[in-house]
Amino acid sequence: AFSSRAAADRMAGSLKKQGFHPRIETSRGRHIVRVGRSDTARGLWKLEQGLREKKYAPMRVNTVGK
């Protein structure tokens, strides 16, 4: 999470250039960059692996179907 919207926008832009579909959510003054959704655990695993291959360290992958 970022305290600066500009920093979140930069990360989202970088992710988008690499083929991901980021979105930014704001909660309690923090800007959270989220990436992707899947209906299956396998889909979430593939998304997480793709992020790690690009040198991102995802903090959490949401539950399936959420």
Side-chain angles (χ1 to χ4, degrees), residues 3-42:
S3 58
S4 161
R5 176 64 189 226
D9 286 338
R10 284 192 297 275
M11 176 174 265
S14 176
L15 286 162
K16 191 171 184 176
K17 286 179 186 176
Q18 294 179 56
F20 295 101
H21 302 285
R23 65 189 183 285
I24 299 172
E25 296 177 3
T26 302
S27 175
R28 297 181 176 160
R30 306 293 285 176
H31 307 284
I32 303 160
V33 180
R34 300 199 185 273
V35 181
R37 293 173 189 234
S38 179
D39 291 329
T40 66
R42 182 174 176 83

Side-chain angles (χ1 to χ4, degrees), residues 47-63:
L47 175 60
E48 183 178 3
Q49 292 298 74
L51 287 165
R52 291 188 188 283
E53 286 173 8
K54 299 288 185 179
K55 307 298 182 207
Y56 290 99
M59 294 181 65
R60 178 178 57 170
V61 175
N62 286 336
T63 58

